[in-house]
Amino acid sequence: MKKVPPTHVPMTQFSTENNCLIVGGIALTRLTQRVGKTPFYAYDRVLLNQRMNTLRNKLPDELHIHYAMKANPMPAVVQHLASLVDGFDLASQREMQVALDTTMAVENISMAGPGKRPEELASAVAAGITVNAESLNELDQIVLQSEKTGVQAEVAIRINPAFELKSSGMKMGGGPKQFGIDEELVPDALQRIQTLGLSFSGLHIYSGSQNLNAESIVETQQKAVELAIQLAPDYPCAMTKLNIGGGFGIPYFPGEQRLDLDYIGEHMANLCNKVKAELGTTQLIIELGRYIVGEAGIYVCRVVDRKISRGQVFLVTDGGLNHHLAATGNFGQIIRKNYPVAIGNKMADKQPEIASVVGPLCTPLDILADKMLLSRAEIGDLVVIYQSGAYGYTASPHQFLSQPEAAEVLV
Ligand SMILES: *Cc1c(COP(=O)(O)O)cnc(C)c1O
């Protein structure tokens, strides 16, 4: 029997009308006229709302859901999410400024990331946001900035746990890591917080990213909570916040399925009860980036040339690696695989063809789709890359080859 090759999950979050993709209630052709140029990223605000509704429905009520801003720091997106999520987690001073421009309360904003510079820490302390300390040196630096600014710093400890997040696309905990304070050193760090007179707010345990396996996510969450309970005798005061990370993935490649949120929700209910029983009033937090914004966004570029090279069809577009590094397979993928792609103004075609979508850059790495079954496209047609709401615009090398910048819209 012939093996059927795996396919992408259908991109059912977007509808079509008259063979045209609809984004934010607008036909893609019309939206393209409105934006006034290609390429561009478009994020659908109704899809953001829907995703947050689903999370609220499936996960326990008392769980706090934070948005990890690095997934998509576009100010309009962050502004929109400010009324939908319970907090922001950020990793730089500029992300902090975007977060502080919204209505989000500073108590619900935290900053993580190794190598925070003194001036960054000073701003964070002055703003009153929680600083997740990533090393013992950083604790000393936080004290210094606390003294300089005259503001008592809110400090949480980011732990590099001894366990790993299994089946994760990107591991960020377990073994030697630049992130967080090794689990073994945390009692010392807690002692230091007490001695230095810092205000202890809690723990941050983040183990990894892009996980589609609900069981391994649940297992990691349970281990994180157990670790927090085990360390409890060392806390200088009651812990107000326990951030157990996220890692919820979205399907990018053929054969991948959407995450089983029901399974996670059921187990998180027990987890919330456990936290209540063992740690009292501690607020349980998860932080999600791509799961909130990834599926709500598309990248759109236009076919500039159509050529056939030794029998293979190439659609040469005005967009590529410089705007969307991840879709070309150069943002952490080991083997290049295709994102879901469509011809946005020709959604149905009775005679599709195998074609490759490439960009204008002078490098063979500039491939947006490699030999995919697509509607037959001509010069002027619109290529859509789905699953592009996270790690798109700001995760790409815009300056490379000095091409025009992409636009970004929230629709
Ligand atoms: C990158 C990151 C996130 C977000 O990861 P996603 O895969 O987008 O959900 C959350 N927390 C921390 C600490 C991160 O570094």
Side-chain angles (χ1 to χ4, degrees):
M1 217 169 72
K2 211 172 152 219
K3 227 174 119 192
V4 183
T7 54
H8 287 106
V9 287
M11 294 289 110
T12 44
Q13 68 271 39
F14 292 99
S15 60
T16 62
E17 221 176 278
N18 302 326
N19 265 347
C20 189
L21 194 74
I22 304 293
V23 189
I26 304 171
L28 182 66
T29 43
R30 176 89 181 260
L31 179 64
T32 306
Q33 291 170 337
R34 182 177 118 174
V35 175
K37 69 168 189 179
T38 50
F40 64 89
Y41 280 91
Y43 315 117
D44 186 323
R45 71 178 84 225
V46 171
L47 292 181
L48 295 175
N49 299 350
Q50 281 174 3
R51 182 47 64 99
M52 282 311 301
N53 278 339
T54 307
L55 283 164
R56 297 291 185 196
N57 289 338
K58 307 255 179 187
L59 302 181
D61 290 343
E62 60 267 47
L63 178 72
H64 282 233
I65 302 173
H66 282 201
Y67 175 54
M69 275 179 64
K70 80 168 188 287
N72 186 332
M74 185 198 187
V77 168
V78 177
Q79 190 76 49
H80 183 75
L81 289 174
S83 60
L84 298 176
V85 301
D86 302 307
F88 288 139
D89 293 325
L90 43 89
S92 73
Q93 199 165 6
R94 271 172 70 189
E95 285 187 0
M96 183 175 83
Q97 298 304 350
V98 172
L100 292 174
D101 281 343
T102 71
T103 51
M104 185 60 72
V106 289
E107 300 84 67
N108 299 320
I109 301 178
S110 65
M111 178 186 259
K116 296 182 202 71
R117 287 166 289 109
E119 57 274 24
E120 234 172 346
L121 287 171
S123 294
V125 170
I129 70 175
T130 303
V131 181
N132 296 341
E134 307 257 350
S135 75
L136 296 174
N137 281 338
E138 200 167 86
L139 275 179
D140 291 339
Q141 189 56 236
I142 293 167
V143 173
L144 202 69
Q145 298 309 328
S146 212
E147 282 164 1
K148 273 193 181 165
T149 51
V151 181
Q152 195 187 34
E154 287 292 326
V155 184
I157 290 186
R158 174 155 180 196
I159 303 184
N160 172 23
F163 57 82
E164 280 192 349
L165 175 57
K166 283 185 206 145
S167 42
S168 174
M170 216 176 269
K171 287 187 179 44
M172 291 174 73
K177 288 281 181 306
Q178 72 266 50
F179 308 107
I181 296 174
D182 291 347
E183 185 180 320
E184 310 78 82
L185 300 175
V186 171
D188 285 351
L190 288 165
Q191 183 62 50
R192 201 120 141 209
I193 285 180
Q194 189 154 30
T195 316
L196 297 169
L198 292 165
S199 168
F200 171 69
S201 93
L203 300 179
H204 178 212
I205 308 169
Y206 182 78
S207 323
S209 183
Q210 182 48 21
N211 199 318
L212 291 169
N213 184 328
E215 278 176 43
S216 67
I217 289 177
V218 164
E219 192 187 311
T220 308
Q221 289 176 336
Q222 284 166 347
K223 282 185 184 158
V225 167
E226 273 156 29
L227 178 58
I229 292 168
Q230 178 199 318
L231 290 166
D234 293 313
Y235 299 150
C237 59
M239 176 163 63
T240 54
K241 291 172 186 159
L242 174 58
N243 182 334
I244 57 169
F248 294 19
I250 62 170
Y252 289 107
F253 306 123
E256 291 184 342
Q257 299 298 320
R258 288 198 170 84
L259 192 59
D260 184 353
L261 212 53
D262 288 309
Y263 182 90
I264 297 178
E266 282 160 28
H267 286 80
M268 286 212 89
N270 297 334
L271 209 59
C272 283
N273 291 338
K274 190 164 177 176
V275 168
K276 225 179 288 170
E278 304 272 349
L279 296 167
T281 55
T282 302
Q283 203 176 75
L284 190 65
I285 301 169
I286 57 166
E287 52 180 353
L288 304 176
R290 79 185 79 220
Y291 195 78
I292 294 175
V293 293
E295 300 211 49
I298 57 170
Y299 172 69
V300 182
C301 53
R302 197 185 284 280
V303 178
V304 174
D305 195 5
R306 176 192 163 88
K307 60 184 274 190
I308 296 170
S309 168
R310 309 218 158 95
Q312 192 181 333
V313 178
F314 285 90
L315 304 171
V316 186
T317 70
D318 56 7
L321 172 153
N322 50 324
H323 303 144
H324 202 333
L325 189 66
T328 64
N330 294 295
F331 190 62
Q333 288 100 301
I334 295 158
I335 302 164
R336 194 202 169 280
K337 293 181 195 150
N338 289 327
Y339 268 47
V341 174
I343 307 301
N345 58 319
K346 290 182 178 168
M347 290 300 292
D349 186 341
K350 293 209 174 61
Q351 280 167 320
E353 63 177 4
I354 302 284
S356 291
V357 180
V358 300
L361 305 191
C362 298
T363 159
L365 300 176
D366 198 11
I367 301 173
L368 288 169
D370 186 26
K371 298 187 215 67
M372 275 183 92
L373 187 66
L374 296 170
S375 297
R376 191 194 151 95
E378 302 294 340
I379 292 173
D381 285 340
L382 298 168
V383 173
V384 169
I385 318 275
Y386 295 101
Q387 308 297 75
S388 298
Y391 306 108
Y393 189 91
T394 59
S396 301
H398 285 256
Q399 303 291 322
F400 187 38
L401 271 146
S402 307
Q403 292 279 342
E405 295 253 310
E408 269 188 305
V409 288
L410 174 65
V411 200

